[in-house]
């Protein structure tokens, strides 16, 4: 079994997760079986209780674990299917140690960071070390070298290397090599100091991944090599990608990273086959057409808050040879009506969310999409909002609402599950993880999925209230997917609309490059058709003007 540890230096947000995931892509392309895991030094037990401003999206796994969004990169970039064992936080480590202490498992000993905390960390690496399943374990350590919280993790890795032998381990340090304009120079000092910090604790990186805006010339590489005690060919340049994050594996490959890592680990592997990946990237970079999609949500300025959704749109668009111009709209700005904000879009997507803020704006956007025949995709809260909108404006149930927004509503079309009513604690207390959905035959959903049984990931408390089913169905609101026993609504659609789909689950957690999720693919195809019809009706489809984050457009 071989191990790769990925640490980060100088600053956070260097894209360590993406780098680790991209190395996973490359090793898989070399026929190795890879698994990734993430260690997060913060004290939260999981990121499920952090808000998206703090932490970006919460990525949900099959087993219901609420994890760091880097696990999303891991699953999208590789074939591994992760579980709660693949994300460890300091909160979990200390919870484990303290529970053991209370049980008396330490037999009267003083409980300490070394060895008790570091033992728990090492156990988590070993847990994944199943030679029947994997050849390589890639472990990413969150945070930045030098953080107090990160120390036990680094120390655990030091001990671990001693136990498994250095020939089985590669330490990869992702660092920043900043360009100082005034001096016209790339600066190596921050990296030198960050590596010095690592070596102080006893870790010597074998590979430096240098994030920089400019190419690293020979002198810079030499300097980094000498001061950081890393072979010159192991100083890898990772420049900011021009178009899409999916270029990262290709650029790392052209820098020789995968060959280098295999050499260091003494793994004999064939050259990687990256043709499919390259094809996907080509589609993302130069599509033959573009489509404008509105996302109406709450965290429009936080790029990471709806990460998996944006990625799923990219995957679906690429499969239709099309690029996406995102129009990000703050739901609160639509509270008094949508005015002309949705006039120029070919599709409307409402993401998941919590709480009443922005709800009325989302309802208004949904109404506009329904009345104007604009393709609509509502995810989780988005489906609940679509239900409320239809109940109010089509069925005349004026005060229809979710009990999440108004707990005393006379018409709770969305309400709590019986078993959720007594639950007070917030952490990991929702309906979480993968559940099967039975698709109703002869629905749009059946056509989109091409089958009648699917499994999808959930993260919610509230549900469609089946008491309203018949009344709404009579007006054209179809429950097109349910839990196998038929009690929970999982999918809805409208009879008289080209593409109006809402799902109680989160399809965005199961979309990959070259394997777009059917609901997203159907949505983009419908948006393209709508746009083509729109052109005939002389609705202008112009270049994006309203995207608050240029990278999202570039990401297409
Ligand atoms: N707040 C809603 C619920 O708890 C929707 C959750 C979500 O969109 N993930 O049911």
């Amino acid at each position: 079994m071989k191990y790769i540890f990925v640490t980060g230096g100088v600053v956070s947000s260097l894209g360590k997760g993406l780098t680790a995931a991209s190395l996973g892509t490359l090793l898989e392309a070399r026929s190795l079986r890879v698994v990734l895991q993430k260690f997060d030094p913060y004290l939260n037990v999981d990121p499920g209780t952090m808000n998206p401003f703090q932490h970006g999206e919460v990525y949900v796994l099959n087993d219901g674990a609420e994890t760091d969004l880097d696990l999303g990169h891991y699953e999208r970039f590789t074939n591994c299917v992760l579980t709660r064992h693949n994300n460890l936080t300091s909160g979990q480590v200390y919870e484990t140690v303290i529970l053991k202490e209370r049980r008396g498992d330490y037999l009267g000993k003083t409980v300490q960071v070394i060895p008790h905390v570091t033992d728990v960390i090492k156990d988590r690496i070993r847990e994944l070390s199943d030679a029947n399943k994997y050849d390589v374990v890639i472990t990413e350590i969150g945070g930045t070298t030098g953080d107090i919280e990160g120390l036990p993790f680094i120390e655990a890795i030091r001990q671990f290397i001693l136990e498994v032998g250095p020939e089985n381990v590669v330490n990869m340090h992702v660092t920043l090599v900043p360009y100082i304009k005034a001096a016209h120079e790339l600066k190596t000092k921050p990296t030198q100091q960050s590596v010095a910090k690592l070596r102080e604790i006893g870790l010597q990186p074998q590979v430096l991944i240098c994030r920089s805006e400019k190419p690293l010339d020979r002198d810079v590489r030499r300097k980094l090599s000498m001061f950081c005690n890393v072979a010159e060919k192991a100083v890898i340049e990772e420049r900011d990608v021009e178009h899409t994050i999916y270029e990262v594996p290709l650029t790392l490959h052209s820098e020789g990273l995968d060959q280098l890592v295999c050499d260091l680990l003494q793994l004999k592997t064939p050259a990687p086959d990256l043709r499919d990946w390259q094809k996907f990237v080509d589609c993302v970079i130069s599509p033959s057409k573009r489509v404008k999609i509105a996302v109406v949500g709450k965290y429009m300025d936080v790029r990471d808050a709806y990460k998996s959704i944006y990625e799923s749109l990219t995957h679906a668009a690429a499969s239709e040879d099309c690029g996406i111009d995102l129009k990000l709209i703050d739901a609160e700005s639509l509270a008094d009506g949508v005015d002309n904000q949705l006039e120029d879009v070919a599709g409307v997507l409402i993401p998941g969310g919590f709480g009443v803020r922005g709800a009325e704006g989302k309802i208004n956007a949904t109404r506009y999409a329904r009345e104007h025949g604009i393709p609509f995709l509502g995810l989780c809260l988005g489906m609940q909002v679509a239900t409320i909108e239809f109940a109010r404006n089509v069925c005349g149930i004026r005060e229809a609402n979710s009990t999440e927004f108004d707990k005393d509503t006379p018409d709770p079309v969305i309400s709590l599950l019986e078993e959720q009513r007594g639950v007070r604690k917030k952490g990991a207390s929702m309906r979480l993880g993968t559940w099967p959905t039975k698709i109703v035959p002869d629905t749009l959903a059946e056509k989109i999925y091409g089958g009648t049984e699917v499994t999808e990931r959930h993260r919610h408390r509230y549900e469609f209230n089946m008491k309203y089913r018949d009344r709404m169905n009579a007006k054209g609101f179809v429950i097109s997917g349910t839990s196998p026993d038929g009690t929970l609504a999982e999918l809805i659609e409208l009879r008289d609309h080209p593409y109006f789909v809402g799902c109680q689950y989160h399809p965005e957690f199961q979309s990959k490059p070259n394997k777009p999720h059917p609901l997203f693919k159907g949505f983009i195809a419908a948006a393209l058709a709508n746009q083509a019809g729109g052109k005939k009706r002389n609705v202008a489809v112009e270049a994006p003007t309203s995207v608050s984050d240029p990278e999202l457009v570039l990401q297409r």
Side-chain angles (χ1 to χ4, degrees), residues 60 350-355 362 379-384 402 404-405 414-416 430-431 458-463 503-506 508-509:
V60 182
I350 312 254
F354 294 83
K362 290 176 193 173
L379 309 177
C380 207
L381 187 82
M383 170 244 183
Q384 300 175 353
S402 163
E404 179 178 15
F405 307 151
I414 303 291
S415 62
L416 268 191
M430 288 183 262
R431 179 166 178 241
H458 295 67
R459 181 174 186 250
H460 65 111
R461 285 193 181 84
Y462 297 83
E463 297 279 355
C503 51
Q504 188 54 82
Y505 44 77
H506 291 275
E508 70 270 25
F509 297 140

Side-chain angles (χ1 to χ4, degrees), residues 68-122:
D68 185 85
L69 56 80
D70 277 328
L71 277 82
H73 293 312
Y74 303 167
E75 286 199 331
R76 284 189 283 271
F77 276 65
T78 69
N79 294 314
C80 54
V81 179
L82 306 175
T83 71
R84 60 184 67 253
H85 297 282
N86 299 64
N87 192 190
L88 179 69
T89 66
S90 291
Q92 289 168 29
V93 174
Y94 284 101
E95 195 183 38
T96 308
V97 170
I98 288 167
L99 279 174
K100 275 177 135 185
E101 187 273 335
R102 290 290 85 185
R103 272 203 313 260
D105 291 2
Y106 293 116
L107 304 173
K109 290 208 185 81
T110 307
V111 182
Q112 294 176 301
V113 171
I114 307 172
H116 302 106
V117 165
T118 49
D119 276 354
V120 173
I121 298 170
K122 286 188 290 177

Side-chain angles (χ1 to χ4, degrees), residues 64 76 92 155 185 206 213-214 313 528 543 550:
R76 284 189 283 271
Q92 289 168 29
E155 166 61 18
E185 245 184 276
Q206 286 78 43
E213 290 169 50
K214 304 263 177 203
L313 286 170
L528 279 168

Side-chain angles (χ1 to χ4, degrees), residues 322-482:
C322 134
I324 293 216
D325 295 326
L326 278 177
K327 180 165 184 170
L328 305 179
I329 302 176
D330 183 346
E332 281 183 292
S333 74
L334 306 183
D336 299 323
V338 297
D339 294 330
N340 45 16
Q341 290 218 58
L342 294 174
E343 243 167 37
D344 57 345
V345 303
V348 174
L349 186 150
I350 312 254
F354 294 83
V356 68
R357 187 167 70 80
E360 291 302 322
K362 290 176 193 173
I363 291 173
N364 287 338
T366 307
R367 177 175 195 167
Y368 187 92
R370 179 178 57 75
E371 289 179 343
H372 290 79
I374 300 174
F376 172 91
L377 183 58
L379 309 177
C380 207
L381 187 82
M383 170 244 183
Q384 300 175 353
V385 156
T387 305
I388 297 168
E389 192 281 317
F390 195 88
R392 284 186 193 171
N393 301 321
V394 180
C395 304
I397 310 173
R398 288 269 158 249
E399 291 186 71
N401 217 332
S402 163
T403 52
E404 179 178 15
F405 307 151
D406 174 8
K407 65 178 177 6
D408 301 318
T409 174
D411 279 302
V413 288
I414 303 291
S415 62
L416 268 191
L417 288 175
E418 244 353 281
E419 58 264 34
Q420 285 283 355
R421 284 181 209 255
V423 177
R424 288 279 170 272
K425 77 168 196 170
K426 286 270 190 279
S429 59
M430 288 183 262
R431 179 166 178 241
L432 285 166
T434 290
W435 297 89
T437 290
K438 201 174 63 186
I439 309 268
V440 177
D442 302 323
T443 55
L444 173 64
E446 191 198 17
K447 227 194 276 159
I448 300 169
Y449 274 110
T452 52
E453 261 172 56
V454 297
T455 54
E456 297 277 5
R457 298 184 189 178
H458 295 67
R459 181 174 186 250
H460 65 111
R461 285 193 181 84
Y462 297 83
E463 297 279 355
F464 177 83
N465 185 341
M466 287 293 195
K467 277 188 216 135
Y468 293 88
R469 182 180 193 155
D470 292 344
R471 251 169 104 184
M472 292 181 65
N473 186 273
K475 297 278 188 188
F477 183 95
V478 180
I479 292 181
S480 49
T482 64

